[in-house]
Amino acid sequence: MENSWTSWLFLIALAVVALLFWPKTGLFVAISRWRELRRRERFEDALKHILAWEQRRQDATPESIGGALGLVQSSALSLVADMEERDLIHSTGGALKLTAEGQRLALHVVRAHRLWERYLADDAGVPMERLHRAAEKAEHQLSSERIDALDAHLGHPERDPHGDPIPRADGSLEKDNAVPLTDWPVADIAWVTHIEDEPDVIFHQILSTGLRPGKSVRVIENTPECLVIDDGVQEHRLVPVVAANIQVAAEPVNTERPVGLRSLSELAKGEAAEVVELGSMCRGFSRRRLLDLGITPGTRIEASLDNPFGDPRAFRLRGTVIALRKDQGDQIWVRSIGEKTTTKDLSASDCYTNPEEIKRTAENAAQGISEA
Amino acid sequence: MSKSLSTPQNILDRSDQLRRALDGDFRDQVVSSLYGEAQRIAERAVRRDSSNKWDLDQRIDRIVTSPVFGLPMMILILAAIFWVTILGANYPSAMIASALFSLEHQAALLFESWGVPDWITGFLWHGVFRGLAWVVSVMLPPMAIFFPMFTILEDLGYLPRVAFNMDWLFRKAGAHGKQALSMAMGFGCNAAGIIATRVIDSPRERLIAILTNNFVPCNGRFPTLIMLATIFVAVDFPPVFASIAAAGAVVGVVLIGVVFTLLSSWMLAQTMLQGEASAFTLELPPYRRPSILRILYTSLIDRTIFVLGRAVMTAIPAGAVIWILANIEAGGTSLAQHVASFLDPLGYAIGLDGVILLAYVIAIPANEIVVPTLMMVYLGADLMTELTSFDEIRALLVDQQGWTLLTAVNLMLFSVLHNPCATTILTIWRETRSARWTTIGALMPLIFAFVVTFLVATLWRALV
């Protein structure tokens, strides 16, 4: 018995030593690799920061980098010196500029970040508030090949889930399609994306109205003298010169329920309805999947089975039975067709969108090719 | 076509440009028009006779997914399958065992009469052949009964209904309802179950299903469970109910496995694999009449012979290793005894013993040989006792080796929770291509097994 205890101790000691010093996977190697990775992450974060400031036409400085990355002055300075040595940035009179190589690397990281967010939101179903942090990690770990593959897999998306443009493979970055509030069509809902902080007087006037990035507003009236907008609480009157300093874009997602429609989840067991549309929240992979199963506008669908827990429920359509969870059913909008309607009453033409439309799009595309 | 489009790069650039000009719902339109066209063709070409097959399907569906009967029915069906397996396998197992062991005996005598050295006879017949005989007699009859019955359920189309019934639980655990399908495959073989996770689209949920599949006891582990249930549970019941009690015990262990599947899925979804539930779409296909010939073929040839073949392939070298361990002596005791007594403190802590742990180390290539290994090490090298009935096994374990109900309970738990076999680990590697996930897939169950059995043993000893 005593003998076996000593052997146990010896074995444990052996395991600990192996854990520490094993080549490639040992703790020491892991720590040095981790430090190397941290260093690269800092480089890339700093490049991203400079790019972001360049796009806002501001000059990044070692201080601003230190602030953004949470570094003390001396570390920030040595980081900048390191990057200059590697020819990623050059400084002109205190202002830091990206070199061509630095620009390429920065765009690569931004592209990785935004594509990854798109992927997490669409394919992995990660909630909005967790996207940014996850992408902050992943952006440093994705190779160009993987990013290109991801881009193709996602169908070359142009914007990330926050509405920011995704840099393309060739490094071109679409200008943000935010427009001044003065150019926004009347009655449409707009999403405030940016408020110019210069000049000061106008900036403060805008702030005093309570408008902030992220708020949605509706333009009620737009004349050369005055712009009337409604932010859901009260109306504001702005002179065009002020309103022009508010940048707006289309609302990122429309969560509103279409008028007069019910969601599939609200059908009682045995009740039949007709699919009107898939909600705009339903995107990416899950939208594709629902379409592929034949849940297209005009399809007759019937709630056919509940289950012991009430979720998921099974629906009958096109001669098959398909189970869907409640959060998917919530995104499918249907219209009642009454109990008596049979499949026969729905003629083929009701069930699909005009093929002419498709044909037209294809023709336009063909024309585009021959024009070029 | 103009000159500017002559290079592939230009065409790619142009298509890139055009793609950006497309509407956001272009894909919607394409799919809608495809379905519209398909429906138009179908309406012209397909004539439906007004059969009431559909209504019958619906009526069956209403029952098997019923809020009241759905879940109890699932458990009942599972219990019935185990009951038939236990009841039916008992007698043929004993017959095959006595036939093979008498063959071993005769062959050994024959070798002796030829003057073959003792160690060759022992190695070949009491080592290699005995390992083989154990595996065949313990595994073949239950598999030949279990697999066809399970294939019938599969063929009928019942499994998607199970996934439908269970999805809510899986969603609460942060996993996908189709995990129930891969678990059902896991009853046959965990490696097959892990391959079956390909039906799950979300990489996160698929990984959860892969890492937790091992908590479903596979066919290689059922013999252990059935043997323990028969020896330790059924013995307290009158003969009429014995097999029912044994089946009930096995179902109980399987349910514990399901609970651990959900628990570990939940833990993974909270820590390493965070994320929201992905799209869940599951088709409930119409019921089909199972075709008997195909069932017999797929379940007997594809599965039984395949699994048995694998078990035999690992049983032969394992039998050899066990014989060597049991027959090479150092300082008066055999190597097996040395290793077993070395493992004894750890075994005692979790309510088992060193021999059981040794059996699990030797059985890493395939779980099927756990019981044979146990028997051979317990019996020692030169014991010629042939255990052909459960009574004799019980006498050996309880009277000679001091097994208690705690040993049996913990061995059942350990059997359900412990690390996957080598084939399964290899399959995890093939499916994930990640050393990290493979390691987690192998070690997480092992840690679970040690923690749970340790807690049970400690509590048991404190209370009983």
Side-chain angles (χ1 to χ4, degrees), chain A residues 262-275 290 293-295 299-307 310-332 334, chain B residues 54 58 61-62 65 161 164 280-285:
Chain A
R262 288 192 296 161
S263 78
L264 192 59
S265 306
E266 289 164 330
L267 289 188
K269 189 174 168 186
E271 193 183 352
E274 180 191 322
V275 176
L290 291 179
L293 286 171
I295 304 178
T299 315
R300 182 181 192 274
I301 191 161
E302 181 193 320
S304 93
L305 290 175
D306 290 342
N307 91 355
D311 180 30
R313 300 170 79 203
F315 299 91
R316 182 179 149 186
L317 78 154
R318 297 186 189 276
T320 56
V321 179
I322 286 163
L324 299 174
R325 282 180 178 168
K326 184 173 177 300
D327 39 2
Q328 286 164 293
D330 287 344
Q331 294 168 353
I332 300 169
V334 298
Chain B
W54 177 258
Q58 276 223 306
D61 266 344
R62 292 254 155 90
T65 67
R161 273 78 185 174
F164 177 67
F280 173 79
T281 50
L282 174 75
E283 194 183 341
L284 303 178

Side-chain angles (χ1 to χ4, degrees), chain B residues 348-410:
Chain B
Y348 177 79
I350 59 172
L352 305 175
D353 65 23
V355 175
I356 300 176
L357 287 182
L358 171 65
Y360 270 99
V361 174
I362 293 176
I364 286 175
N367 282 301
E368 291 84 344
I369 56 176
V370 166
V371 175
T373 310
L374 271 180
M375 298 301 152
M376 288 168 75
V377 177
Y378 276 151
L379 289 173
D382 40 24
L383 259 171
M384 290 301 293
T385 322
E386 287 136 20
L387 300 172
T388 48
S389 77
F390 282 127
D391 287 339
E392 289 168 42
I393 297 179
R394 184 181 161 80
L396 169 74
L397 295 179
V398 178
D399 303 339
Q400 292 178 31
Q401 300 298 332
W403 279 34
T404 59
L405 191 56
L406 170 65
T407 324
V409 167
N410 267 6

Side-chain angles (χ1 to χ4, degrees), chain B residues 240-264:
Chain B
V240 189
F241 299 111
S243 54
I244 294 177
V250 176
V251 170
V253 174
V254 169
L255 289 184
I256 289 174
V258 173
V259 168
F260 272 95
T261 304
L262 291 169
L263 187 70
S264 55

